[in-house]
Amino acid sequence: MQEFTYPYKYPKNYKGSGVPTTLSTIDEVPKTFTPIEINNLILKNRIVVSPMCQYSCKNNSGLMNDWHLIHYSNFAKGGAALIIFESTAVQQEGRISYADAGVWDDCHIPSMRKIIDSIHSFDTCVGIQLSHAGRKASTQPPFLENSRQSIPENDPSGNGWKVVGPSPIRYNDNMSMPREMSVEDIHNTIQAFKDAAIRSLKAGFDFIEIHAAHGYLINQFLSPTSNKRTDQYGGNFVNRIRILLEIIESVRSVWPRNKALGVRLSCEEWTNDGWNMEDTIHLVEILNQLGTIDLIDCSSGGNSSNQKINVSPMYQTPFANSIKSIINTPLRTSGGSSSSSSSTESGDSRTKNQIKVSTVGLITSGNEIESILQDGKADIVMVGRQFLRNPFSVYQFANDLNVKIDYQLQYYLAQRK
Ligand SMILES: Cc1cc2nc3c(=O)[nH]c(=O)nc-3n(C[C@H](O)[C@H](O)[C@H](O)COP(=O)(O)O)c2cc1C
């Protein structure tokens, strides 16, 4: 535990918010409350706050402020193992809205560092989701009027701009037609991801997640429905995944090898002609061979306005399950033997350096989380809206599972007896 600057020391038997109490014997501890390593990052439990845009930055600045400080610190106080900051734009034109958070300039570092320091003081890890919205940029925050249509670049509010994408294909009739990116634009965006990673390192993040899901720029390149290019960034599968691989390579070139790097994928576009699970598996096999990614975050949808999704509890977990079985298949090396390194988790076939897999989507109870982990369908579980309803959801999950965890010390009287 890190020490606060309080006029006392933590009691000796205090393990920290979100960690089973010393009274819990090992046998009693559900997998949900066991630690896990992602690369060198040690999470105290398996519960992660999924990235969620707050659309709360003032004056088109992209600067995080006290809203973000309070919002994120609450989840840390409540014992989440890792908090992934919202989709954060690597270029100004890559924001979903004018109120998005940004990391396109060094001026963004200090305000993020203040929040990171606060989160770390609760022994919670913190990541940033690096993002570019592409053709889905330049909109109103979704909770305001007219949020389902683009703000045109010449809007008198000054809150709109010209959007870009792989091809001049708009998301739907209410959204702006994107300008097709030139190869130079693509290279600039790859460089912007790299610069954003350098800033993320300076700010003190433990983890970077590259946002390649939900129909934003990278996802637009991956999918044959939004990418009709005829150059090296479009056409066949290899060309469509090129931008993602180049972004990963450029981010990894500045993000130390021992720091965790993840990618969020929309595993399925939920249309007949879009990116599908077969494509995802093919991509994950390539990522697995490359060995530069530590976490695959399995989401879905968002790239097609005619997607058909049947939403139900844990509906995206089958994607994570399939990806885990790919990753668990031993890698073939040139000598024909499987890769090996020492196992870090007893009873688990996984190895320390193996890619970890997360699931997300309508997961709201400790029993659901535990069943996912027990069945080996994912290594960690991300939770979104349940944390908005109750920032102390980790305490609720512990109650669901009948396990005693430490609460934030000052709240000890609220602890379940
Ligand atoms: C308010 C809100 C903002 C979101 N913003 C992002 C985001 O910035 N990046 C992202 O990848 N997903 C975003 N999502 C999706 C969540 O991360 C999550 O995948 C989704 O809500 C499903 O999980 P849940 O059922 O636990 O909420 C957002 C969801 C919500 C509710």
Side-chain angles (χ1 to χ4, degrees), residues 225-267:
T225 63
S226 41
N227 182 349
K228 303 285 184 195
R229 300 176 72 93
T230 53
D231 63 4
Q232 69 270 36
Y233 289 100
N236 61 32
F237 176 86
V238 170
N239 284 350
R240 282 184 279 112
I241 67 168
R242 190 179 307 281
I243 191 170
L244 173 59
L245 298 189
E246 290 184 359
I247 287 172
I248 291 172
E249 191 186 350
S250 70
V251 166
R252 192 45 113 180
S253 72
V254 293
W255 184 248
R257 188 62 199 88
N258 63 356
K259 285 186 83 104
L261 177 63
V263 59
R264 174 167 271 201
L265 297 174
S266 273
C267 297

Side-chain angles (χ1 to χ4, degrees), residues 18 68-69 76 80 86 104 242 386:
H68 302 88
L69 176 69
E86 62 207 85
W104 66 80
R242 190 179 307 281
Q386 189 60 19

Side-chain angles (χ1 to χ4, degrees), residues 159-228:
N159 287 333
W161 57 91
K162 182 73 191 157
V163 303
V164 297
S167 302
I169 301 170
R170 51 185 170 176
Y171 178 74
N172 64 27
D173 292 347
N174 297 322
M175 303 287 277
S176 295
M177 181 64 79
R179 176 177 65 75
E180 178 171 316
M181 291 171 81
S182 64
V183 169
E184 192 188 350
D185 291 330
I186 293 171
H187 289 165
N188 287 341
T189 296
I190 294 168
Q191 180 66 40
F193 272 91
K194 182 175 176 176
D195 293 342
I198 294 170
R199 294 186 190 108
S200 304
L201 189 64
K202 285 186 185 155
F205 285 104
D206 306 301
F207 171 69
I208 286 181
E209 176 170 273
I210 296 168
H211 197 353
H214 301 171
Y216 295 116
L217 186 73
I218 300 175
N219 194 178
Q220 291 159 29
F221 271 89
L222 296 179
S223 168
T225 63
S226 41
N227 182 349
K228 303 285 184 195

Side-chain angles (χ1 to χ4, degrees), residues 50-55 85-88 96 129 142 209 211 213-214 216 264 297 299 315-316 360-364 382-386 388-389:
S50 199
M52 284 181 284
C53 282
Q54 295 301 295
Y55 310 102
F85 278 13
E86 62 207 85
S87 159
T88 305
I96 302 166
Q129 188 185 51
E209 176 170 273
H211 197 353
H214 301 171
Y216 295 116
R264 174 167 271 201
D297 171 4
S299 189
Y315 71 103
Q316 294 181 139
V360 69
L362 264 184
I363 300 165
T364 54
M382 296 200 189
V383 174
R385 288 162 291 179
Q386 189 60 19
L388 301 185
R389 292 180 201 107

Side-chain angles (χ1 to χ4, degrees), residues 25-286:
T25 67
I26 294 300
D27 298 355
E28 283 171 345
V29 176
K31 206 160 182 183
T32 306
F33 288 97
T34 57
I36 185 169
E37 273 180 84
I38 307 174
N39 195 336
N40 274 352
L41 187 65
I42 301 173
L43 305 190
K44 60 185 172 184
N45 59 48
R46 307 296 182 100
I47 306 160
V48 173
V49 180
S50 199
M52 284 181 284
C53 282
Q54 295 301 295
Y55 310 102
S56 298
C57 301
K58 295 174 192 162
N59 305 324
N60 265 293
S61 67
L63 289 168
M64 292 194 175
N65 54 45
D66 283 357
W67 167 262
H68 302 88
L69 176 69
I70 294 164
H71 169 72
Y72 289 121
S73 297
N74 259 333
F75 307 133
K77 195 164 61 171
L82 168 68
I83 298 167
I84 307 178
F85 278 13
E86 62 207 85
S87 159
T88 305
V90 300
Q91 288 176 303
Q92 215 168 352
E93 76 209 27
R95 291 169 300 162
I96 302 166
S97 84
Y98 54 88
D100 282 28
V103 61
W104 66 80
D105 192 281
D106 286 354
C107 75
H108 295 114
I109 296 174
S111 54
M112 291 194 291
R113 188 182 291 136
K114 183 176 166 191
I115 307 169
I116 293 166
D117 287 348
S118 166
I119 292 170
H120 280 162
S121 72
F122 296 102
D123 232 20
T124 290
C125 302
V126 54
I128 182 170
Q129 188 185 51
L130 300 183
S131 178
H132 190 300
R135 66 176 180 171
K136 287 173 82 177
S138 187
T139 61
Q140 284 286 359
F143 39 74
L144 299 183
E145 273 177 41
N146 301 325
S147 65
R148 293 187 180 274
Q149 60 191 56
S150 299
I151 303 178
E153 64 181 307
N154 53 0
D155 193 79
S157 67
N159 287 333
W161 57 91
K162 182 73 191 157
V163 303
V164 297
S167 302
I169 301 170
R170 51 185 170 176
Y171 178 74
N172 64 27
D173 292 347
N174 297 322
M175 303 287 277
S176 295
M177 181 64 79
R179 176 177 65 75
E180 178 171 316
M181 291 171 81
S182 64
V183 169
E184 192 188 350
D185 291 330
I186 293 171
H187 289 165
N188 287 341
T189 296
I190 294 168
Q191 180 66 40
F193 272 91
K194 182 175 176 176
D195 293 342
I198 294 170
R199 294 186 190 108
S200 304
L201 189 64
K202 285 186 185 155
F205 285 104
D206 306 301
F207 171 69
I208 286 181
E209 176 170 273
I210 296 168
H211 197 353
H214 301 171
Y216 295 116
L217 186 73
I218 300 175
N219 194 178
Q220 291 159 29
F221 271 89
L222 296 179
S223 168
T225 63
S226 41
N227 182 349
K228 303 285 184 195
R229 300 176 72 93
T230 53
D231 63 4
Q232 69 270 36
Y233 289 100
N236 61 32
F237 176 86
V238 170
N239 284 350
R240 282 184 279 112
I241 67 168
R242 190 179 307 281
I243 191 170
L244 173 59
L245 298 189
E246 290 184 359
I247 287 172
I248 291 172
E249 191 186 350
S250 70
V251 166
R252 192 45 113 180
S253 72
V254 293
W255 184 248
R257 188 62 199 88
N258 63 356
K259 285 186 83 104
L261 177 63
V263 59
R264 174 167 271 201
L265 297 174
S266 273
C267 297
E268 172 63 59
E269 193 165 323
W270 301 109
T271 58
N272 291 332
D273 51 355
W275 177 271
N276 59 29
M277 194 54 196
E278 217 176 295
D279 296 319
T280 300
I281 285 174
H282 192 177
L283 172 61
V284 169
E285 281 169 345
I286 292 167

